[in-house]
């Protein structure tokens, strides 16, 4: 026996809300076209508040009882007006990491905190991706793309030679080597000009010996080892030596 479609309107709203909690945000957006009732249910604050918590790092207890907050508008504002929709799978995780970095450096390393650059634009990211695609390289991991939308590297003229950089470093007597986080434009430029066009530069030392941290964007073999896409490696800028910086993948 087939169920008359009109009977869906006999289902209690609480049950419908539970069913719709398994529906994607795109389908929820479309449901408002079905009927006035479905528009009301699919726009329900609990549904969109849950999505905001899942995707946009909104605290789980944020304004829970505040009926004046229209969570569907909050979600769409971040996703579309701020251009963050394509970062939704990494937004929360990357955002939380940067918040911890900002809190710690602001208190314990204010000079490092002062070097954090403002965010780049989505246009900058797209230009970088187009440049990589034109050379048949894999796109940057979404985590790196979104990270640049929070802080686009460190400001070189504010970098310091007597303390460790944001990505670490080392000191031997009067030698101080600090890894400075590069901007996405710097990484794009140096990827085009150096090291066989296989990697994207994410950090570089300011002092000699010049050493860089790179993300492999095209598999290659060098120095008796094969480097896979997504691996982070450490190497000299002239490509003479190359050592794995991390054993895991991004």
């Amino acid at each position: 026996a087939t169920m008359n479609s009109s009977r869906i309107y006999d289902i209690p709203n609480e049950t419908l809300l539970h069913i719709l909690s398994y529906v994607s945000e795109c389908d929820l957006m479309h449901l408002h076209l079905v009927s006035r009732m479905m528009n009301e249910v699919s726009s329900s604050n609990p549904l969109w508040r849950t999505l905001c918590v899942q995707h946009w790092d909104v605290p789980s207890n944020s304004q829970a009882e505040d009926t004046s907050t229209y969570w569907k508008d909050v979600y769409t504002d971040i996703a579309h007006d701020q251009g963050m929709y394509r970062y939704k799978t990494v937004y929360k995780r990357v955002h939380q990491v940067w918040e911890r970095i900002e809190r710690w450096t602001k208190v314990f390393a204010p000079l490092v905190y002062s070097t954090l650059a403002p965010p780049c634009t989505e246009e900058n990211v797209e230009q970088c991706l187009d440049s990589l695609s034109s050379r048949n390289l894999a796109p940057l991991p979404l985590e790196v793309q979104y990270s640049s939308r929070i802080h686009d590297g460190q400001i070189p003229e504010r970098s310091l030679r007597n303390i460790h950089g944001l990505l670490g470093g080392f000191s031997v007597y009067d030698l101080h080597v600090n890894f400075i986080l590069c901007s996405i434009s710097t990484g794009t430029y140096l990827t085009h000009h150096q090291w066989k066009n296989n990697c994207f530069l994410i950090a570089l030392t300011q002092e000699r010996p010049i050493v860089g941290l790179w993300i492999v964007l095209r598999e290659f073999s060098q120095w008796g080892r094969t480097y896979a896409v997504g691996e982070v490696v450490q190497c000299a800028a002239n490509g003479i030596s190359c050592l794995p910086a991390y054993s895991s993948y991004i």
Side-chain angles (χ1 to χ4, degrees):
T2 59
M3 178 179 176
N4 190 315
S5 61
S6 64
R7 292 183 182 177
I8 193 172
Y9 300 111
D10 296 328
I11 300 176
N13 279 3
E14 294 79 5
T15 305
L16 271 179
L17 283 173
H18 180 72
I19 294 171
L20 294 182
S21 67
Y22 296 95
V23 174
S24 71
E25 65 278 3
C26 291
D27 290 334
L28 284 177
M29 289 287 190
H30 294 150
L31 279 174
H32 81 279
L33 300 172
V34 174
S35 68
R36 182 178 300 175
M37 188 274 285
M38 288 303 294
N39 175 50
E40 180 179 344
V41 176
S42 65
S43 300
S44 170
N45 252 0
L47 288 174
W48 288 97
R49 181 176 166 275
T50 298
L51 288 171
C52 284
V53 171
Q54 289 176 349
H55 295 158
W56 305 136
D57 197 27
V58 174
S60 58
N61 62 349
S62 174
Q63 300 172 308
E65 305 301 328
D66 185 1
T67 56
S68 66
T69 300
Y70 191 46
W71 288 101
K72 184 177 181 180
D73 283 352
V74 173
Y75 188 96
T76 55
D77 175 65
I78 297 174
H80 301 294
D81 294 348
Q82 298 181 30
M84 296 299 172
Y85 183 74
R86 69 189 193 90
Y87 302 117
K88 68 174 185 175
T89 57
V90 301
Y91 181 101
K92 184 173 182 177
R93 178 156 44 93
V94 176
H95 197 261
Q96 289 175 342
V97 169
W98 268 115
E99 281 190 332
R100 289 199 295 270
I101 292 172
E102 290 170 346
R103 284 197 303 268
W104 192 92
T105 56
K106 191 172 185 178
V107 175
F108 299 104
L111 295 178
V112 174
Y113 178 81
S114 71
T115 70
L116 299 180
C120 70
T121 65
E122 190 63 19
E123 182 180 2
N124 297 142
V125 176
E126 291 294 340
Q127 289 172 349
C128 170
L129 296 177
D130 289 344
S131 177
L132 298 178
S133 176
S134 68
R135 300 195 296 281
N136 297 317
L137 294 172
L140 280 177
L142 272 178
E143 291 88 344
V144 178
Q145 294 180 42
Y146 178 55
S147 179
S148 68
R149 294 294 311 276
I150 300 176
H151 289 292
D152 190 21
Q154 291 179 266
I155 302 173
E157 57 268 24
R158 293 187 189 171
S159 59
L160 305 166
R161 299 176 183 274
N162 59 345
I163 62 172
H164 291 318
L166 183 62
L167 296 183
F170 60 88
S171 299
V172 180
Y173 296 106
D174 61 345
L175 173 65
H176 304 282
V177 177
N178 303 314
F179 283 106
I180 303 302
L181 188 65
C182 295
S183 68
I184 199 168
S185 59
T186 298
T188 303
Y189 176 80
L190 291 179
T191 297
H192 180 66
H193 286 82
Q194 296 188 22
W195 211 43
K196 301 183 185 298
N197 294 336
N198 291 313
C199 303
F200 185 91
L201 182 68
I202 56 175
L204 192 67
T205 59
Q206 288 192 303
E207 306 84 355
R208 295 184 181 277
I210 301 298
V211 179
L213 293 179
W214 307 71
I215 300 177
V216 179
L217 298 183
R218 180 166 50 212
E219 183 178 298
F220 70 99
S221 297
Q222 192 76 20
W223 305 292
R225 188 184 186 281
T226 297
Y227 298 89
V229 172
E231 192 169 4
V232 179
V233 296
Q234 174 182 298
C235 71
N238 58 12
I240 292 176
S241 62
C242 183
L243 297 173
Y246 303 99
S247 58
S248 60
Y249 289 81
I250 295 175

